[in-house]
Amino acid sequence: GAETVRVPSRTFLPESVDYEPLRIIASPRMLGARMPDWIRINPDDGQIAVSRQPSAFELPLRLRLEFDAAEGPVAAEGRGIAICADLVVVARAAAPAGAPWTLATAELAQLYSECALERGVRAGLHDHFDKIYDFNMRSPRLMSLGKWLEVVYRISRLLAVAASGSLALDHPNGPGAGGMPGPRTPTQ
């Protein structure tokens, strides 16, 4: 069967929304159009599955994704405007080596390498970055968009959790073990 791609819904939501939406509603952008029978988007997790290769006249397919929470549509804070994401489905245009996500991986790895991170956070992130980037060969690993999105989404969530717990940045005057400041003595 065809590989699925999961829409990373948290990517489209503001930082003030700290939860996953309960439901994702997909609809064609063209007024009055119906959702084609060859594509399915799971409302629970955003998994996109294609049952057949669409013909050239069926693409590109422009979709609007709306995110629902328990209290209704997820809205921009203080604005009451529902948050939506536009998605464009195109034919497979590039082999993984020339795909946009592969080309972006080297830059992500460079940013990761330059960022001052607490040792434990860096080790945890390295395990995930290693899935998309070969640090020994200094080159991106070739993979599908769906697999790449899963890893990058996980990296972004780990960074968000580390930042919220003040664990991400290496403390400039820490003792070196984990980058955290040492215990204070009564004379300090």
Side-chain angles (χ1 to χ4, degrees):
E3 183 178 343
T4 61
V5 173
R6 182 180 166 273
V7 174
S9 55
R10 282 282 310 129
T11 306
F12 301 105
L13 304 179
E15 288 183 28
S16 61
V17 176
D18 63 351
Y19 53 85
E20 294 279 339
L22 293 178
R23 188 169 68 150
I24 299 172
I25 304 163
S27 59
R29 290 282 312 208
M30 190 183 321
L31 192 62
R34 295 175 43 126
M35 195 71 136
D37 62 352
W38 51 266
I39 188 168
R40 295 278 181 259
I41 300 177
N42 185 322
D44 296 329
D45 64 5
Q47 284 280 357
I48 301 171
V50 176
S51 62
R52 65 171 173 80
Q53 177 67 41
S55 64
F57 75 87
E58 293 175 297
L59 296 175
L61 174 63
R62 299 181 193 297
L63 300 174
R64 163 74 38 106
L65 303 179
E66 298 175 35
F67 307 104
D68 274 0
E71 62 276 2
V74 177
E77 191 172 333
R79 295 190 192 166
I81 300 169
I83 297 172
C84 300
D86 291 331
L87 175 73
V88 180
V89 179
V90 297
R92 180 174 288 186
W101 59 92
T102 303
L103 299 175
T105 301
E107 187 175 347
L108 289 174
Q110 181 67 33
L111 290 170
Y112 160 75
S113 297
E114 294 172 357
C115 189
L117 296 169
E118 188 274 328
R119 186 180 303 168
V121 172
R122 178 171 296 283
L125 286 170
H126 189 274
D127 289 344
H128 294 286
F129 263 107
D130 193 55
K131 294 175 185 173
I132 62 171
Y133 189 80
D134 185 332
F135 288 96
N136 293 326
M137 300 297 291
R138 296 183 180 198
S139 66
R141 299 187 189 278
L142 302 182
M143 64 187 60
S144 69
L145 173 61
K147 290 179 181 168
W148 186 86
L149 278 173
E150 283 180 28
V151 175
V152 171
Y153 178 73
R154 190 170 302 116
I155 289 169
S156 71
R157 299 307 302 147
L158 288 170
L159 282 169
V161 168
S164 70
S166 300
L167 299 174
L169 296 179
D170 195 11
H171 195 281
N173 57 6
M180 300 305 288
R184 295 179 59 94
T185 61
T187 59
Q188 290 180 320

